[in-house]
C-alpha cells in the first residue's frame, strides 16, 4: 500500500522513474550553471528515483569525449549539452534525437524561451533537437567605483576632453582602457587562450567595430578595416593594457584578475556577474556592473551571443529517463532556482520573475544584452573555424603575423569550409 501511495505521488508530479533504472549520465562543462544543476539533482532523484551522474570536464575536453560516444550505436551518455557552434555539426551528422513528439505528448511549453535561444540551441530547419539550457552572451564588466571617483573624472576630462562615465561607444571605452592602465593596474584583462576563449572574446571587438563574420552570401568579411582594427585593438589590450600572461588566460584566470581588483574591465560571459558580489570569490563586491559591449554608436552594441542546449543523443542508452530529466531541469520552477542561485536562464518568464528581479536588479540589463547580442558564424564546420580563428588570432597577438595577414589566412580557410558546407557557392 505504501509503495502504491509513493508511486501515485511521483506520477502526480508527472515524473516516473525506477531506482533500478540505468543512471542518466551527462557530460557537462565546469561552469557555474553546471554547479547549480548539480546542487538540484538530489531533488530530481528524490522525486523520480532516477539517478543522475554529471561528468564535469573543462571545455577543451568536451568535444573529444563526446564524438566517440555519439557515433556509437549505444553510447554512455544519456543526455548531452550542446554548445551553439556544435549544433550544425551534430544535426548534420544525425547525432541528436528530435524532441517534437515528446514535447507534444507531455505538453511541454517551449514558448517562454527567448526566440533567439530557440534559433540558436533549439530548432534546426524546423525540428526541435534541444531545449535551451543557459545563455553565455558576453558583456562588459567594469568598475563603477573607478568611474565615480572625482580625481579620475577630473584627470580623464583633462586628458581626453570628455566626461568619465559608463561608456556609450566602443571608442569611449577604448579611451578608458588606456586611461586606467597605470601603476601596475590594468585597463582590461583578456582571455587570450586558444582556440575557444580568444575566438569568443575577440568576436566582441569585431562586432564593436561594426564588423561581421560574413555577408548574406557567406563570403567572409574579416579582413576588412573593421576586422583589422578590431585585431589591432585586441593585441594592444593584451600586450599593452593587460597583465603579463593573459595571452594564455582562460576565463577563470581572467576573472580572477578582475575579481581581485587588479583591472578596470573584462569582457566576459554574463554568468560571471553574480560572482563579483560573492565575497568568497571577489574583492570588488558592490563595485562591478555589467552592460552590453558598446559599439560604434550608442544604439549598436558589440556583444557576442552564446548558449548551450540540452539534447538526447541517438546513442542514448535510456532516452526516456533522459527526457524525464530534461523536462524537469527546464521547468519554470527549477530554472528559477538556478537563476536565484546565480544562473543564466534562457526563459523570459524567469527573466521577468519578481523574486529573481528582487534579488538581481541588473536582470533587465542582462535581458537587453541577450536580446541585442550578435551571433557567431554558425554552420556545420563552426568548430573547425574556431580552431583556425584561435590559431591565427594568437599568432597576431604574439607578433608573429600582422592583423591583416592573420585575418586573410582565416578567410582562406573559412571560405573553404563554407564551400564544403554548401553555404558559399
Amino acid at each position: 500500500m505504501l509503495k502504491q501511495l509513493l508511486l501515485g505521488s511521483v506520477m502526480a508530479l508527472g515524473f516516473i522513474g525506477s531506482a533500478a533504472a540505468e543512471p542518466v549520465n551527462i557530460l557537462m562543462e565546469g561552469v557555474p550553471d553546471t554547479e547549480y544543476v548539480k546542487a538540484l539533482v538530489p531533488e530530481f532523484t528524490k522525486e523520480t528515483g532516477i539517478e543522475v551522474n554529471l561528468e564535469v570536464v573543462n571545455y577543451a575536453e568536451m568535444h573529444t569525449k563526446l564524438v566517440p560516444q555519439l557515433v556509437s550505436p549505444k553510447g554512455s551518455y544519456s543526455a548531452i549539452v550542446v554548445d551553439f557552434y556544435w549544433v550544425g555539426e551534430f544535426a548534420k551528422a544525425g547525432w541528436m534525437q528530435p524532441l517534437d513528439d515528446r514535447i507534444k505528448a507531455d505538453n511541454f511549453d517551449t514558448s517562454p524561451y527567448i526566440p533567439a535561444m530557440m534559433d540558436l540551441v533549439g530548432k534546426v530547419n524546423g525540428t526541435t533537437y534541444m531545449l535551451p539550457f543557459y545563455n553565455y552572451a558576453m558583456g562588459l564588466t567594469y568598475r563603477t567605483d573607478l568611474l565615480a571617483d572625482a580625481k579620475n573624472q577630473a584627470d580623464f576630462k583633462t586628458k581626453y576632453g570628455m566626461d568619465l562615465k559608463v561608456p556609450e561607444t566602443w571608442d569611449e571605452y577604448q579611451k578608458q582602457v588606456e586611461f586606467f592602465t597605470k601603476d601596475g593596474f590594468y585597463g582590461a584583462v583578456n582571455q587570450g587562450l586558444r582556440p575557444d576563449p580568444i575566438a569568443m572574446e575577440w568576436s566582441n571587438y569585431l562586432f564593436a567595430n561594426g564588423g561581421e563574420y560574413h555577408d548574406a552570401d557567406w563570403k567572409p568579411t574579416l579582413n576588412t578595416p573593421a576586422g583589422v582594427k578590431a585585431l589591432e585593438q585586441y593585441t594592444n589590450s593584451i600586450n599593452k593594457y593587460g597583465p603579463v600572461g593573459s595571452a594564455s588566460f582562460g576565463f577563470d584566470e581572467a576573472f580572477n584578475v578582475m575579481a581581485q581588483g587588479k583591472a578596470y574591465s573584462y569582457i566576459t560571459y554574463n554568468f560571471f556577474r553574480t560572482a563579483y558580489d560573492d565575497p568568497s570569490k571577489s574583492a570588488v563586491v558592490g563595485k562591478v556592473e555589467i552592460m552590453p559591449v558598446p559599439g560604434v554608436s550608442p544604439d549598436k552594441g558589440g556583444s557576442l551571443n552564446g548558449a548551450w542546449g540540452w539534447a538526447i543523443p541517438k546513442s542514448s542508452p535510456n532516452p526516456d529517463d533522459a527526457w524525464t530529466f530534461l523536462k524537469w531541469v527546464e521547468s519554470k520552477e527549477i530554472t528559477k532556482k538556478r537563476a536565484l542561485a546565480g544562473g543564466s536562464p534562457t526563459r523570459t518568464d524567469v527573466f521577468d520573475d519578481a523574486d529573481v528581479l528582487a534579488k538581481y536588479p541588473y536582470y533587465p540589463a542582462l535581458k537587453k544584452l541577450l536580446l541585442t547580442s550578435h551571433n557567431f558564424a554558425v554552420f556545420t564546420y563552426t568548430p573547425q573555424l574556431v580552431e583556425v580563428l584561435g590559431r591565427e588570432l594568437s599568432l597576431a597577438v604574439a607578433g608573429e603575423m600582422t592583423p591583416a595577414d592573420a585575418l586573410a589566412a582565416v578567410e582562406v580557410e573559412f571560405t573553404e569550409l563554407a564551400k564544403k558546407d554548401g553555404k558559399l557557392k
Side-chain angles (χ1 to χ4, degrees):
M1 183 64 178
L2 178 60
K3 184 177 179 180
Q4 290 177 329
L5 288 173
L6 290 173
L7 180 60
S9 296
V10 171
M11 292 180 67
L13 290 170
F15 301 116
I16 304 175
S18 169
E22 186 172 350
V24 171
N25 298 317
I26 309 174
L27 181 71
M28 301 185 73
E29 185 187 11
V31 294
D33 265 279
T34 295
E35 293 304 310
Y36 305 142
V37 170
K38 186 176 181 180
L40 292 166
V41 159
E43 294 184 27
F44 173 76
T45 300
K46 183 178 179 180
E47 291 178 10
T48 65
I50 301 172
E51 295 289 337
V52 177
N53 297 325
L54 304 184
E55 181 184 348
V56 182
V57 299
N58 66 48
Y59 184 86
E61 297 179 67
M62 289 193 71
H63 193 269
T64 302
K65 289 181 74 69
L66 276 173
V67 172
Q69 301 298 322
L70 296 176
V71 300
S72 172
K74 182 178 179 180
S76 59
Y77 298 123
S78 313
I80 58 175
V81 288
V82 183
D83 192 7
F84 78 88
Y85 60 73
W86 299 340
V87 169
E89 175 192 12
F90 286 19
K92 188 170 186 176
W95 289 337
M96 299 182 291
Q97 295 186 14
L99 300 179
D100 291 294
D101 288 345
R102 295 183 183 275
I103 289 170
K104 183 178 180 180
D106 290 338
N107 293 314
F108 184 86
D109 187 7
T110 61
S111 65
Y113 287 114
I114 292 172
M117 292 294 96
M118 286 300 292
D119 291 340
L120 200 61
V121 287
K123 292 187 176 183
V124 179
N125 297 326
T127 299
T128 307
Y129 289 101
M130 295 155 286
L131 298 182
F133 170 25
Y134 77 88
N135 85 80
Y136 61 90
M138 300 183 79
L140 172 63
T141 58
Y142 62 96
R143 290 278 297 275
T144 56
D145 59 322
L146 298 181
L147 293 183
D149 181 83
K151 185 177 186 308
N152 286 339
Q153 290 178 349
D155 291 347
F156 189 85
K157 181 82 169 184
T158 298
K159 185 171 183 177
Y160 298 102
M162 59 193 305
D163 292 333
L164 180 63
K165 56 180 175 55
V166 175
E168 296 182 8
T169 66
W170 182 248
D171 180 67
E172 185 179 1
Y173 166 64
Q174 289 294 294
K175 287 181 171 61
Q176 293 177 2
V177 169
E178 179 185 53
F179 174 76
F180 282 116
T181 304
K182 54 190 172 184
D183 303 325
F185 188 80
Y186 309 109
V189 61
N190 295 90
Q191 51 178 53
L193 182 68
R194 58 189 283 187
D196 178 77
I198 189 172
M200 296 298 100
E201 187 176 53
W202 177 76
S203 297
N204 296 271
Y205 285 67
L206 174 67
F207 298 139
N209 279 282
E212 295 290 346
Y213 272 89
H214 58 80
D215 63 17
D217 298 318
W218 276 81
K219 181 180 178 181
T221 55
L222 294 173
N223 190 20
T224 59
V228 171
K229 187 176 181 181
L231 189 46
E232 289 173 345
Q233 291 171 339
Y234 189 78
T235 298
N236 281 336
S237 187
I238 287 183
N239 296 329
K240 190 174 180 181
Y241 304 128
V244 173
S246 54
S248 62
F249 282 3
F251 52 71
D252 285 330
E253 293 89 346
F255 169 79
N256 287 336
V257 171
M258 183 71 179
Q260 294 309 308
K262 298 177 181 178
Y264 160 65
S265 65
Y266 172 33
I267 294 174
T268 188
Y269 307 108
N270 71 87
F271 56 68
F272 276 118
R273 170 60 184 82
T274 305
Y276 285 120
D277 285 338
D278 182 347
S280 70
K281 300 176 181 178
S282 173
V284 288
V285 173
K287 298 178 180 179
V288 175
E289 199 45 89
I290 189 168
M291 62 176 287
V293 174
V296 292
S297 64
D299 60 338
K300 292 185 178 180
S303 288
L304 171 71
N305 203 2
W308 288 75
W310 300 100
I312 301 175
K314 286 190 175 178
S315 62
S316 173
N318 48 348
D320 292 341
D321 285 351
W323 171 247
T324 299
F325 176 75
L326 261 57
K327 65 182 179 179
W328 175 86
V329 79
E330 280 303 317
S331 65
K332 165 70 184 301
E333 177 189 1
I334 300 304
T335 307
K336 178 179 174 179
K337 287 183 178 181
R338 279 187 6 232
L340 288 170
S344 301
T346 57
R347 299 174 55 118
T348 54
D349 52 0
V350 175
F351 271 100
D352 298 333
D353 184 86
D355 294 332
V356 175
L357 289 169
K359 185 171 183 179
Y360 302 120
Y362 53 82
Y363 249 60
L366 291 185
K367 184 178 179 182
K368 178 182 178 182
L369 187 160
L370 192 62
L371 292 171
T372 59
S373 295
H374 302 251
N375 283 347
F376 193 78
V378 180
F379 64 129
T380 302
Y381 300 105
T382 298
Q384 289 85 343
L385 174 60
V386 172
E387 292 286 342
V388 173
L389 194 62
R391 181 188 71 224
E392 300 301 331
L393 294 177
S394 294
L395 290 173
V397 168
E400 297 179 27
M401 293 186 75
T402 66
D405 287 345
L407 294 174
V410 174
E411 285 198 349
V412 169
E413 295 192 52
F414 188 5
T415 296
E416 294 174 355
L417 293 170
K419 286 182 177 179
K420 185 177 178 181
D421 198 31
K423 295 287 188 183
L424 180 62
K425 306 301 182 183

